Amino acid sequence: MKNPDAIVIGAGVVGACSALSLVNAGLKVLVIDRGAVASGTTGAGEGNILVSDKEPSPELTLALRSRDAWFELNTDIGGGFELEAKGGVVISRSQSGIANLKKLSAQQASCGIKVVELDAKGIREIEPHISNSVEYAVLYPQDAQCQPMLAAAQIMRAVRKRGGAFIQGENVESINTKSGKVIGLSTDKATYQSPIIVNATGTWAGAIAELAGSYLPIMPRRGFILVTAPAPKIVHHKVYDADYVANVASSDADLQSSAVVEGTESGTILIGASRERVGFQSDLDVAVLRQLARQAISLFPILSNIPLLRAYRGFRPYAPDHLPVIGEDANVLGLWHAAGHEGAGIGLAPATGELIAAQITERKTFMDPTPFSPKRFKQESNVAI
Amino acid sequence: MHNVVIVGGGPAGLSAALAAAAAGAPVLLIDSNPRLGGQYWRMPSDDVGQQGEQHFDLETGLILINAVKARKEIEVLSGAQIWSATHKDGVNTLRVIQNGAEKIINTKNLILCTGAYDRTLPFPGWDTPGVMTPGGVQSLLKGHGVLAGKKVVVAGSGPFLLPVAAGVVKAGGEVVELLEANNSARWLLSPFVMLENVGKLKEAFYYVKTISQVKVRARFASAVIAAHKNSEGNLESVDVATIRGNFKIKKVRNVKCDVAAVGWGFTADTSLAGALGCKQIVAKDGGVVVSADGNQQSSIPGVFVAGEITGIGGAELSMAEGVIAGINAAKFVGCKVEVLKAHRKRRAKRQRFADALIKSYPIKDGWISWLNDQTVICRCEEVSVGNLKYAINELGATDSRTAKLLTRCGMGLCQGRVCGRSVVDLVASELKISPTDIDRFSAANRPIILPIPLGVLAAGE
Ligand SMILES: Cc1cc2nc3c(=O)[nH]c(=O)nc-3n(C[C@H](O)[C@H](O)[C@H](O)COP(=O)(O)OP(=O)(O)OC[C@H]3O[C@@H](n4cnc5c(N)ncnc54)[C@H](O)[C@@H]3O)c2cc1C
Ligand SMILES: Cc1cc2nc3c(=O)[nH]c(=O)nc-3n(C[C@H](O)[C@H](O)[C@H](O)COP(=O)(O)OP(=O)(O)OC[C@H]3O[C@@H](n4cnc5c(N)ncnc54)[C@H](O)[C@@H]3O)c2cc1C
């Protein structure tokens, strides 16, 4: 493609959604990834599209729009990525936990989220195998899921069909600027001109900002997911303990996990996901697997006999304040960031794409994007521009 | 802490255990089967006799197994599966499940002899009940004294088809066809190797004699390229083709049978070595094996490897390697012992035979032309050739890992042990590129080596 209007770096779910929104807005878009589609964190994610785990906040506004945007996108590109409104069930077993969950769900309801309170009997009607110790839960019918790798791949397919171009296997090694403005980029194989670059490199977004002489504090947060052997239908929704919500927002570096348990079409059960800050350490950590297994069994004791088949891990991209970064760089004009979605990048991707495309094309955004602006970070080191 | 820990109770592991024990090292031998012997000397459940009938060289096996049992330096853990293993700061941690409980074993000194499993190639109908691997047919026979069917077609490539056919005949079954995909003349490529490994020829002769007694003759340049089922869904017949040197089909005929034992040599089971981080390489036949130096040591000091996991070469090469690994492991823990020249010579001779084998029984990628879009590739997840092609041509997968993520190919119960290697070849063929080593390694490795019940996992420390 000659002289694209915009280049998107990264073909994870966020890059794919950004590219699609830009193409839909009429731009000539080139997507470049150093690997294949979904070869980054998207290929290691679980595919939860959750509204249940967010407190009223700008992120919840983004999540609500994104959840609906997933279903619109599904219709728009013809599906093929196993999108399903499966519903989430959040439980709590302690007095204080139940009180908090009641409070949170009431607040969420006031923001337009559908919530259904369930008593001991109500829970067992929809999750017959839940532990005896569970007596209170909230059902979130809007919680959904997709197969994230297929989603990214199907979206990239649509991008290509609508005139976008996609280059795989080229590593971006420099962002070329002139008087503080983007003019293009160079990979290990070629140089491309473009006045706009969207940095959708997830966990590696800080490195791209650095290439441009700017700064973006995105760090990796490791997570493991367990996959069991196929089993008869045991788990019908996404079920998790309310502690999970506390974990997501936590800044503690130690291992935290609150297992989200869900059954899939093929009968396998997914148990995810742990959260630790251990850099890019990739070795199998059995202690983490054991903790996830214990939590899953505490929700569904019957899982005890089901064999674990495999485990995979990925590195969530996170910013110090746990909010995604969506907006133009603080120092370099024409460099846009769409990264740092931590454990919610799949869920938040379509709305992120809309937000980034609307800002680039100077159209009306569906919400005020300021809370996500990269300009919120104080640069720690002085880099020459 | 035990001095030498050995995983695998087949020809390599038994030989290693005896060699290390003879050198004075205490040994812990871990094996997942209920009885020692590995693939080659798979022992029947106690109530089934006539094992000798099935086997050319059972004596050696019984001698080794009894010797291992008799030595007080050797402790045996049978029926014990290692589900996970990690290496950190010189110590190898093995997590073993035995009788539903987990044990943790830490050791600096380890010999891996985890062997190999049958290599399969997909073809239309290969997922029909009745289509089996030769190893599957043989382990039913050897382990349980059960014959899988009455009319049996044995097909594929490699010398291991012979003992399987002989086993079927001895057990009273009818081998309706014995089909070798390669040309008989290929052995002429390595005449000297044949001469120096006369023992092997004798073995082959033993099986040929058994088979020819019932007038079964092997047909060369022939393969089973499709299987058909009857109204009950079981195997009814197979399509047999004469094929060219590149495995492309020449002429097809239909053969009635109720079992087809189809196998294409072996794939090394490197998952345990891979979990520890031992360096792996791609062998001449495209299979992934563990890299070993002249002392059978892997890239991790103190971790030795022997048998089929270092390259497919048969039971005798496995034994020769096992002895050298056992001696070096004993030396590693301080025993005064040296590998003898004779040991190295024996290994070299067997190695030349193994190389000749690979040369004589190549698997050519013409097999891909036997498939159609409906052919199932991954039986566990029911992924077809068409699904894979869609992932490549429509979704833009440019390597086998991505094709796998987009189709779930190889993500099921067997964790890609059956289809992983074929998927790598298929994806490369569709993309018109050669598979990279990384593609091959990623198909051969799995961090969870064997499934573990969540309850057992949760109960561990
Ligand atoms: C265990 C786990 C479970 C998760 N579960 C969920 C979940 O249930 N729901 C949810 O919403 N989120 C989940 N997440 C988070 C989610 O996976 C991520 O937020 C999301 O995938 C991030 O997508 P991305 O497109 O920003 O990044 P990525 O998918 O990582 O894409 C970035 C791309 O940039 C490319 N790239 C990087 N550097 C360069 C360069 N220099 N040149 C060229 N290309 C480059 C990479 O190759 C990569 O393909 C989970 C994460 C983990 C680890
Ligand atoms: C059908 C068939 C016919 C054959 N016929 C012949 C023949 O006629 N002549 C010949 O020379 N060779 C023959 N072979 C090949 C022969 O079986 C092998 O060469 C030989 O068994 C290899 O020895 P090994 O010690 O490397 O591995 P194996 O005998 O395969 O032993 C490996 C052992 O390791 C154990 N193990 C693996 N992983 C784990 C784990 N994670 N935890 C615990 N234990 C584990 C396995 O249970 C097994 O007992 C045949 C093989 C087959 C399948």
Side-chain angles (χ1 to χ4, degrees), chain B residues 103-118:
Chain B
K103 255 193 204 101
I104 312 278
I105 292 165
N106 289 304
T107 179
K108 290 188 169 167
N109 196 258
L110 187 59
I111 310 178
L112 304 178
C113 310
T114 50
Y117 49 87
D118 292 271

Side-chain angles (χ1 to χ4, degrees), chain A residues 36-37 82 147 149-150 153-154 157 160 168 229 271 286 289-290 293-294 297 303-304 306-311, chain B residues 84 95 102 104 390 394-396 398 402 405-406 408 411-413 415 448 451-455 457-458 460-461:
Chain A
V37 62
E82 302 172 14
Q147 209 277 38
M149 309 106 203
L150 275 176
Q154 291 287 9
R157 177 171 176 253
R160 286 196 309 268
Q168 310 192 45
I271 304 166
V286 176
L289 307 190
R290 294 195 199 284
R294 279 194 277 273
I297 291 170
L303 290 179
S304 194
I306 308 285
L308 166 70
L309 208 54
R310 49 196 189 90
Chain B
S84 145
R95 302 181 187 87
E102 192 183 3
I104 312 278
Y390 179 81
E394 290 294 322
L395 299 182
T398 49
T402 308
L405 286 180
L406 296 177
R408 296 202 172 90
M411 291 200 186
L413 211 48
Q415 284 296 289
I448 307 285
I452 171 175
L454 285 174
L457 176 64
E461 297 273 304

